Amino acid sequence: MEKKYILSLDSGTTSCRTLVIDHEGQIIATSQTEFTQYFPNSGWVEHDANEIWTTQLGTMQTAKAKANIRTDEIEAVGITNQRETVVVWDKETGLPVYNAIVWQDRRTSEYCESLIEKGYGDKFAEKTGLIINPYFSGTKIRWILKNVPDAQKKLAQNKLLAGTIDTWLVWKLTNGKVHATDVTNASRTMLFNINTLTWDDEILELFEIPKSILPEVKSSSEMYGKIEPKFLSKRATYEVPITGIAGDQQAALFGQLCTEVGMVKNTYGTGCFTLINTGNKPIRSKNKLLTTIAWKIGNEPAVYALEGSVFIAGSAIKWLRDSIKIIYNAAECDFYCGLAEKDPQAVYLVPSFTGLGAPYWDSYSRGAIFGLERGTKREHLVKATVESIAFQSNDLILAMQKDLQEEIKLLKVDGGASNSNYLMQFQSSISNIKVERPAVIETTAMGAAYLAGLATGYWKSLDEIKTINKIDKTFTPNMSKEEVDKKIKGWNEAVKRTFNWTKSI
């Protein structure tokens, strides 16, 4: 039988990647390129949507060339993406009317606060599973429509389209033929009713967003459309289908094969995202977690999850590298953490550079360092930054345990920062939980590939996929309860002192 491959397009917050994956789940080739981050005002974060497109296209072509495969050897393409980030563009010219507004962006904080003050919180939670927060896409789209003159003009002319990054890439890859998204990305917009699986007319009216500019919502595993051949090869005529889409965190949950109720994963990427599979019915959190759609395969019922989001995790390591320049690359972190262990200090860093996510949801918190002494060195700051990722993740795990009223015993991990043995061991100890790291930590890209392959029959079933999933390393707790309690007490005090910072000065 002719060998076929899946291409997984992983459009992240700081870079685009493409992986070529074979039937055994092996990564045959990969290509990754970073793109520009823009910070035009305090709390604002933007991307150039055209740069995302050209970067993703470049990695797709490079990965295909590295793998030395023909276009007709590509079974299908799966897409996974940074969620909540939105693009609004002219459907005739294909040009965005404004930069993509990134999920980290806080510019709509005041508007969100006004909605909460008016008592809309319960209604949004019931319909969308989300809390009212600038994190989500809906208020970002509204901001563009209200504040960009070109957007208002084109809206009146019925020329506008809007969507999350998956939608933008599908539209570009199909040469403007398909304007669609999947249920996981739709469920992160604050515009989508997760009970009826439709755009919510009442919310759209409140936000003054016409339904006509929003994409068609499909399942996470089905035919979306076909890629224009010129994007894969100058001479190709074969049209490769796009058959899988999921937001990055849901893709990682699927890639970790958390397919049974109660299974949990944590992705250590730009942010940290902990999701637990809750089955075919949405469960509303009492501890400020989000209810979200985990995936939907074809005509099967949707699967739901509870999610906790940490805004700054791996990007705090990037901050150490790029902004204050005390490390040259992320791989050095474990070395410095080891040095700090020999000269312990109670230094805490709260990396709320763009506010705090779950379970605090404080848009006005800002980052701070506590416990500095005259003898504090570079290694103590590195260690505090690494540990802050685990502390924030632990806050999410504790909230999940309260919602489920049972102890979580296993945490499946992935994402770039999960390569740190120090971080994984600290997470295991601080959360008193077994941590399991897979052999292939690219579970986000693998999840998109699995969804794409299931739609075409490349993989016949989940059981077949489970046979190719391998574990790399397991971490178990090695810290006393007294030490854990002391560290968590210090963390809680540090976090509390950052609350409402920008409001108090």
Side-chain angles (χ1 to χ4, degrees):
M1 189 177 76
E2 186 181 34
K3 196 153 189 182
K4 291 261 193 172
Y5 303 87
I6 302 282
L7 256 58
S8 184
L9 277 52
D10 184 353
S11 188
T13 305
T14 57
S15 68
C16 291
R17 296 182 302 161
T18 299
L19 284 72
V20 181
I21 296 161
D22 70 10
H23 194 266
E24 284 70 48
Q26 298 300 307
I27 297 169
I28 303 304
T30 182
S31 174
Q32 178 169 354
T33 306
E34 290 193 0
F35 53 81
T36 313
Q37 310 290 309
Y38 297 95
F39 310 99
N41 287 306
S42 175
W44 292 27
V45 190
E46 295 178 0
H47 294 154
D48 178 341
N50 273 328
E51 186 185 3
I52 290 176
W53 158 240
T54 55
T55 302
Q56 188 68 69
L57 181 63
T59 66
M60 181 173 75
Q61 293 168 343
T62 302
K64 175 178 174 282
K66 279 184 178 178
N68 194 25
I69 58 172
R70 302 188 312 271
T71 302
D72 61 2
E73 290 178 303
I74 302 169
E75 169 81 8
V77 165
I79 296 174
T80 183
N81 56 287
Q82 54 162 318
R83 306 168 305 170
E84 298 94 25
T85 298
V86 293
V87 188
V88 178
W89 69 95
D90 182 322
K91 63 185 173 186
E92 291 182 2
T93 66
L95 295 174
V97 297
Y98 188 79
N99 273 348
I101 301 181
V102 181
W103 57 274
Q104 297 162 318
D105 191 280
R106 318 306 292 165
R107 77 187 66 189
T108 61
S109 292
E110 286 185 13
Y111 176 65
C112 289
E113 211 164 73
S114 73
L115 291 174
I116 293 166
E117 286 170 0
K118 289 172 185 172
Y120 282 108
D122 278 348
K123 185 183 287 287
F124 273 84
E126 185 183 322
K127 286 173 174 256
T128 71
L130 309 176
I131 64 156
I132 296 172
N133 192 274
Y135 174 28
F136 306 107
S137 314
T139 61
K140 302 180 198 299
I141 296 173
R142 180 185 182 275
W143 188 93
I144 292 174
L145 297 182
K146 293 283 185 186
N147 292 279
V148 179
D150 199 30
Q152 296 165 10
K153 180 182 168 186
K154 291 181 188 299
L155 184 63
Q157 296 169 339
N158 193 30
K159 289 183 179 178
L160 278 193
L161 294 177
T164 43
I165 296 299
D166 59 305
T167 301
W168 169 242
L169 291 177
V170 168
W171 193 84
K172 296 293 280 185
L173 287 165
T174 60
N175 217 21
K177 293 186 183 75
V178 179
H179 183 224
T181 189
D182 90 300
V183 289
T184 68
N185 280 292
S187 76
R188 309 297 296 189
T189 60
M190 218 161 74
L191 305 173
F192 190 71
N193 191 311
I194 63 169
N195 306 293
T196 62
L197 304 187
T198 58
W199 298 117
D200 192 277
D201 292 325
E202 187 181 1
I203 295 174
L204 292 178
E205 187 178 340
L206 176 66
F207 283 0
E208 298 176 77
I209 297 173
K211 193 188 289 186
S212 59
I213 73 170
L214 297 175
E216 177 188 358
V217 183
K218 292 175 167 277
S219 83
S220 313
S221 180
E222 67 171 276
M223 169 65 83
Y224 275 78
K226 294 185 176 178
I227 295 175
E228 192 77 12
K230 66 182 179 184
F231 293 135
L232 282 161
S233 171
K234 288 179 182 175
R235 296 177 297 278
T237 55
Y238 180 78
E239 294 180 314
V240 176
I242 301 168
T243 56
I245 295 179
D248 51 11
Q249 303 314 319
Q250 289 96 327
L253 188 71
F254 196 75
Q256 286 275 29
L257 299 179
C258 292
T259 55
E260 295 172 22
V261 174
M263 296 180 87
V264 190
K265 74 89 197 175
N266 191 21
T267 296
Y268 298 80
T270 299
C272 256
F273 301 88
T274 310
L275 277 77
I276 183 165
N277 183 330
T278 60
N280 296 127
K281 288 186 179 176
I283 292 175
R284 189 165 164 188
S285 173
K286 295 175 182 174
N287 294 281
K288 296 187 177 179
L289 298 174
L290 308 173
T291 305
T292 198
I293 299 177
W295 59 75
K296 186 176 187 299
I297 296 176
N299 295 320
E300 294 177 13
V303 173
Y304 294 84
L306 281 175
E307 172 177 337
S309 310
V310 167
F311 295 154
I312 302 291
S315 53
I317 305 298
K318 198 171 182 186
W319 171 76
L320 290 179
R321 184 191 74 187
D322 299 343
S323 297
I324 60 172
K325 302 181 189 301
I326 64 171
I327 60 170
Y328 291 104
N329 63 65
E332 297 174 22
C333 287
D334 278 16
F335 168 75
Y336 284 119
C337 288
L339 283 183
E341 287 277 88
K342 296 170 186 173
D343 177 22
Q345 289 187 17
V347 178
Y348 292 88
L349 181 140
V350 183
S352 50
F353 305 147
T354 57
L356 286 166
Y360 306 103
W361 297 111
D362 183 352
S363 300
Y364 301 100
S365 171
R366 286 298 178 269
I369 303 170
F370 298 93
L372 293 177
E373 301 176 10
R374 181 63 185 84
T376 300
K377 302 185 183 78
R378 172 198 322 221
E379 52 261 37
H380 299 110
L381 291 179
V382 173
K383 179 171 174 279
T385 305
V386 170
E387 289 180 350
S388 75
I389 300 171
F391 280 126
Q392 291 177 99
S393 298
N394 186 58
D395 289 338
L396 304 180
I397 291 165
L398 291 173
M400 282 182 177
Q401 290 182 155
K402 286 177 188 172
D403 271 338
L404 297 172
Q405 295 187 324
E406 61 181 72
E407 191 179 348
I408 295 169
K409 294 178 180 172
L410 173 65
L411 180 68
K412 297 189 172 192
V413 300
D414 55 73
S418 71
N419 279 311
S420 166
N421 287 337
Y422 182 87
L423 173 57
M424 294 301 97
Q425 183 57 63
F426 189 77
Q427 185 75 75
S428 175
S429 297
I430 213 75
S431 302
N432 192 31
I433 200 168
K434 181 180 172 184
V435 170
E436 196 173 83
R437 183 172 65 199
V440 178
I441 65 165
E442 303 291 356
T443 54
T444 303
M446 293 305 295
Y450 293 157
L451 289 165
L454 284 169
T456 67
Y458 184 72
W459 289 294
K460 303 298 181 192
S461 66
L462 280 171
D463 287 338
E464 183 181 359
I465 292 172
K466 285 174 184 175
T467 64
I468 62 177
N469 197 42
K470 304 288 188 293
I471 302 305
D472 166 47
K473 191 163 184 177
T474 299
F475 300 85
T476 54
N478 66 356
M479 203 181 287
S480 71
K481 186 179 184 302
E482 292 73 29
E483 192 177 357
V484 169
D485 290 346
K486 184 178 178 183
K487 287 181 183 294
I488 290 177
K489 183 182 178 184
W491 168 254
N492 290 340
E493 185 61 35
V495 171
K496 188 169 70 178
R497 294 187 185 203
T498 72
F499 289 165
N500 283 315
W501 177 256
T502 58
K503 269 191 167 182
S504 63
I505 55 171

